[in-house]
Amino acid sequence: MYSEGMSASDTSERLIESTRELLWERGYVGTSPKAILERAGAGQGSMYHHFKGKPDLALAAIRRTAEEMRATAAGVLDGPGTPYERIEAYLRRERDVLRGCPVGRLTMDPDVIASDELRAPVDETLDWLRERLAGIVEEGKERGQFASGLDGESIAATIVATVQGGYVLARASGSPTAFDVGVRGLLSLLAPRQDQDQDQD
Amino acid sequence: MYSEGMSASDTSERLIESTRELLWERGYVGTSPKAILERAGAGQGSMYHHFKGKPDLALAAIRRTAEEMRATAAGVLDGPGTPYERIEAYLRRERDVLRGCPVGRLTMDPDVIASDELRAPVDETLDWLRERLAGIVEEGKERGQFASGLDGESIAATIVATVQGGYVLARASGSPTAFDVGVRGLLSLLAPRQDQDQDQD
DNA sequence: GTCTATATCCCGATAGAC
DNA sequence: GTCTATCGGGATATAGAC
């Protein structure tokens, strides 16, 4: 990452990490520089030395969170198993459901949506995820695991939406159960027919 | 509503409506009393005369928004058509997609989630919606329109989650398309088999 | 009921010492 | 690089005149 063998300053690093946590917990509008500085154990000057201001720091934090989410998803989606099994693994992977999605939640932040720069990493990440899932669905169709009438991109959007909406249901009810139930419903709709021809893995 | 023939004061009414708009646009954390007062054309005194403070006014606004959403959904779900057709009508009903769901978006607001009182109308509304949809799915199973292996409550959670997550995808990309695509994917998974026995409507 | 004035604290940012 | 001091304005609420 740091081609000259340098490392980012510890303070800069702590500022980004604190911002990531607070953006996840309270969103952009609900996160103040003061709260970030307190959590990072830094003073005002440090933040304005390393970053141009709150939007600039938030951008660094959002980019890192988005990257991390892509890496996590890729870890599951590139794993072993049939297309259905990989989708199931993605849907059932361990999540801190009640905390919500650190990327998706930003779409409800007016200031993030108002800024093309802040919105871009969010958009790119969810878009990447949909394309990745669409490819897996198409692969499943080729293998005969999914009905040939299904459209990869549509199903991919449904999968990502179910996850994002699952967070909403869980947070509304104060329990992760609703998330799991929604996922179960989707999997029951996606489940390969027992009596269908399928390639062996 | 007003048993004695009285009407709520116009000012109180305007305060609630302005709060509803701002909660939808900016969420609870992003909405200040000052902004509400400006939009309502009222002074500080009016607000603190009619309401105990920001949380109290927000509660009145959220309750009304929740009630309105239930009424809108009921209008479609109680409409004519087979179970599948009513679910399709719900999923395809006209929406201001890029504005997001005025109820669901509140689940991303830390202060709403931290307050049982503010969260309650949100929870009750999404819960009501899930139960209502679950009943329709069960009805569809009885009629043979849906596979008997499907679980009403799970499918209902998937439907509501797809809608809520559809808003997320749309707002991330800045276009309503992703919402529609996700809905299309879900409908393709729910679509009654052509060759299946079905009651006539 | 509604207004203005005031209070106290926080917001996001800048200045300049060290 | 990091600190503290300071700024102008906004957030939320109260006081008290009308």
Coordinates of all heavy atoms in Angstrom, one line a residue, chain B residues 69-135:
Chain B
M69 N -48.9 5.1 5.8 CA -48.3 4.0 5.1 C -49.2 2.7 5.2 O -49.4 2.0 4.2 CB -46.9 3.7 5.6 CG -46.2 2.6 4.8 SD -44.5 2.4 5.3 CE -44.3 0.6 5.2
R70 N -49.7 2.4 6.3 CA -50.6 1.2 6.5 C -51.8 1.4 5.6 O -52.2 0.5 4.9 CB -51.0 1.1 8.0 CG -49.9 0.5 8.8 CD -50.4 0.0 10.2 NE -50.8 1.1 11.0 CZ -50.1 1.8 11.9 NH1 -48.8 1.4 12.0 NH2 -50.6 2.7 12.6
A71 N -52.4 2.6 5.6 CA -53.6 2.8 4.8 C -53.3 2.6 3.3 O -54.1 2.0 2.6 CB -54.1 4.2 5.1
T72 N -52.2 3.2 2.9 CA -51.8 3.0 1.5 C -51.6 1.6 1.1 O -52.1 1.1 0.1 CB -50.5 3.8 1.2 OG1 -50.7 5.2 1.5 CG2 -50.1 3.7 -0.3
A73 N -50.9 0.8 1.9 CA -50.6 -0.6 1.6 C -51.9 -1.4 1.7 O -52.2 -2.2 0.8 CB -49.6 -1.1 2.6
A74 N -52.7 -1.1 2.6 CA -54.0 -1.8 2.7 C -54.9 -1.6 1.5 O -55.5 -2.5 1.0 CB -54.8 -1.4 4.0
G75 N -54.8 -0.4 1.0 CA -55.6 -0.1 -0.2 C -55.3 -1.0 -1.4 O -56.1 -1.4 -2.2
V76 N -54.0 -1.4 -1.5 CA -53.6 -2.2 -2.6 C -53.8 -3.7 -2.2 O -54.3 -4.5 -3.0 CB -52.1 -2.0 -2.9 CG1 -51.6 -3.0 -4.0 CG2 -51.9 -0.6 -3.4
L77 N -53.4 -4.1 -1.0 CA -53.5 -5.5 -0.6 C -54.9 -6.0 -0.4 O -55.1 -7.2 -0.6 CB -52.7 -5.6 0.7 CG -51.2 -5.3 0.7 CD1 -50.5 -5.5 2.0 CD2 -50.5 -6.3 -0.3
D78 N -55.8 -5.1 -0.1 CA -57.2 -5.5 0.0 C -57.9 -5.4 -1.3 O -59.1 -5.6 -1.4 CB -57.9 -4.6 1.0 CG -57.4 -4.8 2.4 OD1 -56.8 -5.9 2.6 OD2 -57.6 -3.9 3.3
G79 N -57.2 -5.0 -2.4 CA -57.8 -4.8 -3.7 C -58.2 -6.1 -4.3 O -58.2 -7.2 -3.7
P80 N -58.7 -6.0 -5.6 CA -59.1 -7.2 -6.3 C -57.9 -8.0 -6.8 O -56.8 -7.5 -6.8 CB -59.9 -6.6 -7.5 CG -59.2 -5.3 -7.8 CD -58.7 -4.8 -6.4
G81 N -58.2 -9.2 -7.2 CA -57.1 -10.0 -7.9 C -56.8 -11.2 -7.0 O -57.1 -11.3 -5.9
T82 N -56.0 -12.1 -7.7 CA -55.5 -13.3 -7.0 C -54.4 -12.8 -6.0 O -53.9 -11.7 -6.1 CB -54.8 -14.2 -8.0 OG1 -53.7 -13.6 -8.5 CG2 -55.8 -14.6 -9.1
P83 N -54.0 -13.7 -5.1 CA -52.9 -13.4 -4.2 C -51.7 -12.9 -4.9 O -51.1 -11.8 -4.5 CB -52.7 -14.7 -3.4 CG -54.0 -15.3 -3.4 CD -54.7 -15.0 -4.7
Y84 N -51.3 -13.6 -5.9 CA -50.1 -13.1 -6.7 C -50.3 -11.7 -7.2 O -49.4 -10.9 -7.2 CB -49.7 -14.1 -7.8 CG -48.6 -13.6 -8.7 CD1 -47.3 -13.8 -8.3 CD2 -48.8 -12.9 -9.8 CE1 -46.2 -13.3 -9.0 CE2 -47.8 -12.4 -10.6 CZ -46.5 -12.6 -10.2 OH -45.4 -12.1 -10.9
E85 N -51.5 -11.5 -7.8 CA -51.8 -10.2 -8.4 C -51.8 -9.1 -7.4 O -51.3 -8.0 -7.6 CB -53.1 -10.2 -9.1 CG -53.0 -11.0 -10.4 CD -54.4 -11.3 -11.0 OE1 -55.4 -11.1 -10.3 OE2 -54.5 -11.7 -12.2
R86 N -52.2 -9.4 -6.1 CA -52.2 -8.3 -5.1 C -50.8 -8.0 -4.6 O -50.5 -6.9 -4.4 CB -53.1 -8.7 -4.0 CG -54.6 -8.4 -4.2 CD -55.5 -8.9 -3.1 NE -55.7 -10.3 -3.1 CZ -56.0 -11.0 -2.1 NH1 -56.1 -10.5 -0.9 NH2 -56.2 -12.3 -2.2
I87 N -50.0 -9.1 -4.5 CA -48.6 -8.9 -4.2 C -47.9 -8.1 -5.3 O -47.1 -7.2 -5.0 CB -47.9 -10.2 -3.9 CG1 -48.5 -10.8 -2.6 CG2 -46.4 -10.1 -3.8 CD1 -48.0 -12.3 -2.3
E88 N -48.2 -8.4 -6.5 CA -47.6 -7.7 -7.6 C -48.0 -6.2 -7.6 O -47.2 -5.3 -7.8 CB -47.9 -8.4 -8.9 CG -47.3 -7.6 -10.1 CD -47.6 -8.3 -11.5 OE1 -48.5 -9.1 -11.5 OE2 -46.9 -7.9 -12.4
A89 N -49.3 -6.0 -7.3 CA -49.8 -4.7 -7.3 C -49.1 -3.9 -6.2 O -48.7 -2.7 -6.3 CB -51.3 -4.6 -7.0
Y90 N -48.9 -4.5 -5.0 CA -48.1 -3.9 -3.9 C -46.7 -3.5 -4.4 O -46.2 -2.4 -4.1 CB -48.1 -4.7 -2.7 CG -47.2 -4.2 -1.6 CD1 -47.5 -3.1 -0.9 CD2 -46.0 -4.9 -1.4 CE1 -46.6 -2.6 0.0 CE2 -45.1 -4.4 -0.4 CZ -45.4 -3.2 0.2 OH -44.5 -2.7 1.1
L91 N -46.0 -4.5 -5.0 CA -44.6 -4.3 -5.3 C -44.5 -3.3 -6.4 O -43.5 -2.5 -6.5 CB -44.0 -5.6 -5.8 CG -43.7 -6.6 -4.7 CD1 -43.4 -8.0 -5.2 CD2 -42.5 -6.1 -3.8
R92 N -45.5 -3.2 -7.3 CA -45.3 -2.3 -8.5 C -46.1 -1.0 -8.3 O -46.1 -0.1 -9.2 CB -45.9 -3.0 -9.7 CG -45.0 -4.1 -10.2 CD -45.3 -4.3 -11.7 NE -44.9 -5.6 -12.2 CZ -43.7 -5.9 -12.7 NH1 -42.8 -5.0 -12.7 NH2 -43.5 -7.1 -13.2
R93 N -46.6 -0.8 -7.1 CA -47.4 0.5 -6.9 C -46.5 1.7 -7.1 O -45.3 1.6 -6.9 CB -48.1 0.5 -5.6 CG -47.2 0.9 -4.4 CD -48.1 1.4 -3.3 NE -47.5 2.6 -2.7 CZ -46.8 2.6 -1.6 NH1 -46.6 1.4 -0.9 NH2 -46.2 3.7 -1.1
E94 N -47.0 2.8 -7.5 CA -46.2 4.0 -7.8 C -45.5 4.4 -6.5 O -46.2 4.5 -5.4 CB -47.1 5.1 -8.3 CG -46.4 6.0 -9.3 CD -47.3 7.0 -9.8 OE1 -48.5 6.7 -10.2 OE2 -46.9 8.2 -9.8
R95 N -44.3 4.7 -6.6 CA -43.5 5.1 -5.4 C -42.6 6.2 -5.8 O -42.0 6.2 -6.9 CB -42.6 4.0 -4.9 CG -43.4 3.0 -4.1 CD -42.4 1.9 -3.7 NE -43.0 1.0 -2.7 CZ -43.7 0.0 -2.9 NH1 -44.0 -0.4 -4.1 NH2 -44.2 -0.7 -1.9
D96 N -42.3 7.1 -4.9 CA -41.3 8.1 -5.1 C -40.0 7.5 -4.6 O -39.4 7.8 -3.6 CB -41.6 9.3 -4.2 CG -41.4 10.6 -5.0 OD1 -40.6 10.6 -6.0 OD2 -42.1 11.6 -4.7
V97 N -39.4 6.6 -5.5 CA -38.4 5.7 -5.0 C -37.2 6.4 -4.5 O -36.6 6.0 -3.4 CB -38.0 4.7 -6.2 CG1 -36.7 3.9 -5.8 CG2 -39.1 3.8 -6.5
L98 N -36.8 7.4 -5.1 CA -35.5 8.1 -4.7 C -35.7 8.8 -3.4 O -34.7 9.1 -2.7 CB -35.0 9.1 -5.8 CG -34.4 8.4 -7.0 CD1 -33.9 9.4 -8.0 CD2 -33.3 7.4 -6.5
R99 N -36.9 9.0 -2.9 CA -37.1 9.6 -1.6 C -36.9 8.6 -0.5 O -36.8 9.0 0.7 CB -38.4 10.3 -1.5 CG -38.6 11.5 -2.5 CD -39.9 12.2 -2.4 NE -40.1 12.9 -1.1 CZ -41.2 13.5 -0.7 NH1 -42.3 13.3 -1.4 NH2 -41.3 14.2 0.4
G100 N -37.0 7.4 -0.9 CA -36.9 6.3 0.1 C -38.2 6.1 0.9 O -39.2 6.8 0.6
C101 N -38.3 5.2 1.8 CA -39.5 4.9 2.5 C -39.5 5.7 3.8 O -38.5 5.7 4.6 CB -39.5 3.4 2.9 SG -40.9 3.0 4.1
P102 N -40.5 6.5 4.0 CA -40.6 7.4 5.1 C -40.6 6.7 6.5 O -40.2 7.3 7.5 CB -41.9 8.2 4.9 CG -42.7 7.4 4.0 CD -41.8 6.6 3.2
V103 N -41.0 5.5 6.4 CA -41.0 4.7 7.7 C -39.7 3.9 7.8 O -39.0 4.1 8.8 CB -42.2 3.7 7.7 CG1 -42.1 2.8 8.9 CG2 -43.5 4.5 7.8
G104 N -39.3 3.2 6.8 CA -38.1 2.3 6.9 C -36.9 3.1 7.1 O -36.0 2.7 7.8
R105 N -36.8 4.3 6.5 CA -35.5 5.1 6.7 C -35.2 5.4 8.1 O -34.1 5.7 8.5 CB -35.6 6.3 5.8 CG -36.4 7.4 6.4 CD -35.8 8.8 6.0 NE -34.6 9.0 6.6 CZ -33.5 9.6 6.2 NH1 -33.6 10.2 5.0 NH2 -32.4 9.8 6.9
L106 N -36.3 5.5 8.9 CA -36.1 5.9 10.3 C -35.3 4.8 11.1 O -34.7 5.1 12.2 CB -37.5 6.1 11.0 CG -38.3 7.2 10.4 CD1 -39.7 7.2 11.0 CD2 -37.6 8.6 10.7
T107 N -35.3 3.6 10.6 CA -34.5 2.6 11.3 C -33.0 2.8 11.2 O -32.2 2.2 11.9 CB -34.7 1.2 10.7 OG1 -34.3 1.2 9.3 CG2 -36.2 0.8 10.7
M108 N -32.6 3.7 10.3 CA -31.1 4.1 10.3 C -30.8 5.3 11.1 O -29.7 5.7 11.1 CB -30.7 4.3 8.8 CG -30.8 3.1 7.9 SD -29.9 1.7 8.6 CE -30.9 0.3 8.2
D109 N -31.8 5.7 11.8 CA -31.6 6.9 12.7 C -31.3 6.5 14.1 O -32.1 5.9 14.8 CB -32.9 7.7 12.7 CG -32.6 9.2 12.4 OD1 -31.8 9.8 13.1 OD2 -33.1 9.7 11.4
P110 N -30.1 6.8 14.6 CA -29.6 6.2 15.9 C -30.6 6.7 17.0 O -30.9 5.9 17.9 CB -28.2 6.8 16.1 CG -28.1 7.9 15.1 CD -29.0 7.6 13.9
D111 N -31.0 7.9 16.9 CA -31.9 8.4 18.0 C -33.3 7.8 18.0 O -33.9 7.7 19.1 CB -32.0 10.0 18.0 CG -30.7 10.6 18.3 OD1 -29.7 9.9 18.5 OD2 -30.6 11.9 18.4
V112 N -33.7 7.4 16.8 CA -35.0 6.7 16.8 C -34.9 5.3 17.3 O -35.7 4.9 18.1 CB -35.5 6.7 15.3 CG1 -36.8 5.8 15.2 CG2 -35.9 8.1 14.8
I113 N -33.8 4.6 16.9 CA -33.6 3.3 17.4 C -33.4 3.3 18.9 O -33.7 2.3 19.6 CB -32.5 2.6 16.6 CG1 -32.8 2.5 15.2 CG2 -32.1 1.3 17.2 CD1 -34.1 1.7 14.9
A114 N -32.8 4.3 19.4 CA -32.5 4.4 20.9 C -33.7 4.6 21.7 O -33.7 4.4 22.9 CB -31.4 5.5 21.1
S115 N -34.8 5.0 21.1 CA -36.0 5.4 21.8 C -37.1 4.3 21.5 O -37.6 4.3 20.4 CB -36.5 6.8 21.5 OG -37.9 6.9 21.7
D116 N -37.5 3.6 22.5 CA -38.6 2.6 22.3 C -39.9 3.3 21.8 O -40.6 2.7 20.9 CB -38.9 1.8 23.5 CG -37.8 0.8 23.8 OD1 -37.0 0.5 22.9 OD2 -37.7 0.3 25.0
E117 N -40.1 4.5 22.3 CA -41.3 5.2 21.9 C -41.3 5.6 20.4 O -42.3 5.4 19.7 CB -41.5 6.4 22.8 CG -42.9 6.7 23.1 CD -43.1 7.9 24.0 OE1 -42.0 8.5 24.4 OE2 -44.2 8.2 24.4
L118 N -40.2 6.1 19.9 CA -40.1 6.5 18.5 C -40.0 5.3 17.6 O -40.5 5.3 16.5 CB -38.9 7.4 18.3 CG -38.9 8.8 19.0 CD1 -37.6 9.6 18.7 CD2 -40.1 9.6 18.5
R119 N -39.4 4.3 18.1 CA -39.3 3.1 17.2 C -40.6 2.3 17.1 O -40.8 1.6 16.1 CB -38.2 2.2 17.8 CG -37.8 0.9 17.0 CD -36.6 0.2 17.5 NE -36.8 -0.2 18.9 CZ -37.4 -1.3 19.3 NH1 -38.0 -2.1 18.4 NH2 -37.6 -1.6 20.5
A120 N -41.4 2.4 18.1 CA -42.6 1.5 18.1 C -43.5 1.6 16.9 O -43.9 0.6 16.3 CB -43.4 1.8 19.4
P121 N -43.8 2.9 16.4 CA -44.7 2.9 15.2 C -44.0 2.3 14.0 O -44.7 1.8 13.2 CB -44.9 4.4 15.0 CG -44.4 5.1 16.3 CD -43.5 4.2 17.0
V122 N -42.7 2.5 13.9 CA -42.0 1.9 12.8 C -42.1 0.4 12.9 O -42.4 -0.3 11.9 CB -40.5 2.3 12.9 CG1 -39.7 1.7 11.7 CG2 -40.4 3.8 12.8
D123 N -41.8 -0.2 14.0 CA -41.9 -1.6 14.2 C -43.3 -2.1 13.9 O -43.4 -3.1 13.1 CB -41.5 -1.9 15.6 CG -41.4 -3.4 15.9 OD1 -41.2 -4.2 14.9 OD2 -41.4 -3.8 17.1
E124 N -44.3 -1.5 14.5 CA -45.6 -2.0 14.3 C -46.1 -2.0 12.9 O -46.8 -2.8 12.4 CB -46.6 -1.1 15.2 CG -46.5 -1.3 16.6 CD -47.0 -0.2 17.5 OE1 -47.7 0.7 16.9 OE2 -46.7 -0.1 18.7
T125 N -45.7 -0.9 12.1 CA -46.1 -0.8 10.7 C -45.5 -1.9 9.9 O -46.2 -2.6 9.1 CB -45.7 0.6 10.2 OG1 -46.3 1.6 11.0 CG2 -46.1 0.7 8.7
L126 N -44.2 -2.1 10.0 CA -43.5 -3.1 9.2 C -44.0 -4.5 9.6 O -44.1 -5.4 8.8 CB -42.0 -3.0 9.4 CG -41.4 -1.7 8.7 CD1 -39.9 -1.6 9.0 CD2 -41.7 -1.7 7.2
D127 N -44.3 -4.7 10.9 CA -44.8 -5.9 11.4 C -46.2 -6.2 10.8 O -46.5 -7.3 10.4 CB -44.9 -5.9 12.9 CG -44.7 -7.3 13.5 OD1 -43.7 -7.9 13.2 OD2 -45.6 -7.7 14.2
W128 N -47.0 -5.2 10.9 CA -48.4 -5.3 10.3 C -48.3 -5.7 8.8 O -49.0 -6.6 8.4 CB -49.1 -4.0 10.5 CG -50.4 -3.9 9.7 CD1 -51.6 -4.3 10.2 CD2 -50.6 -3.5 8.4 NE1 -52.6 -4.1 9.2 CE2 -52.0 -3.6 8.1 CE3 -49.7 -2.9 7.4 CZ2 -52.5 -3.2 6.8 CZ3 -50.3 -2.6 6.1 CH2 -51.6 -2.7 5.9
L129 N -47.4 -5.1 8.1 CA -47.3 -5.3 6.7 C -46.8 -6.8 6.4 O -47.4 -7.4 5.5 CB -46.2 -4.3 6.1 CG -46.0 -4.4 4.6 CD1 -47.3 -4.2 3.8 CD2 -44.9 -3.3 4.2
R130 N -45.9 -7.2 7.2 CA -45.5 -8.6 7.0 C -46.6 -9.6 7.3 O -46.8 -10.6 6.6 CB -44.3 -8.9 8.0 CG -43.0 -8.4 7.5 CD -41.8 -9.0 8.2 NE -41.6 -8.5 9.5 CZ -41.1 -9.1 10.5 NH1 -40.6 -10.3 10.4 NH2 -40.9 -8.5 11.7
E131 N -47.3 -9.4 8.4 CA -48.4 -10.3 8.7 C -49.5 -10.3 7.6 O -50.0 -11.3 7.2 CB -49.1 -9.9 10.0 CG -48.2 -10.3 11.2 CD -48.8 -9.8 12.5 OE1 -50.0 -9.5 12.6 OE2 -48.1 -9.7 13.5
R132 N -49.8 -9.1 7.1 CA -50.8 -9.0 6.0 C -50.3 -9.7 4.8 O -51.1 -10.5 4.2 CB -50.9 -7.5 5.7 CG -52.1 -7.1 4.9 CD -53.4 -7.1 5.7 NE -54.5 -7.0 4.8 CZ -54.9 -8.0 4.0 NH1 -54.2 -9.1 4.0 NH2 -55.9 -7.9 3.2
L133 N -49.1 -9.6 4.4 CA -48.5 -10.3 3.3 C -48.5 -11.8 3.5 O -48.7 -12.6 2.6 CB -47.2 -9.7 2.9 CG -47.1 -8.4 2.2 CD1 -45.7 -7.8 2.2 CD2 -47.6 -8.5 0.7
A134 N -48.1 -12.2 4.7 CA -48.1 -13.6 5.1 C -49.4 -14.2 4.8 O -49.5 -15.4 4.3 CB -47.6 -13.8 6.5
G135 N -50.5 -13.5 5.2 CA -51.8 -14.1 5.1 C -52.1 -14.3 3.6 O -52.8 -15.3 3.2

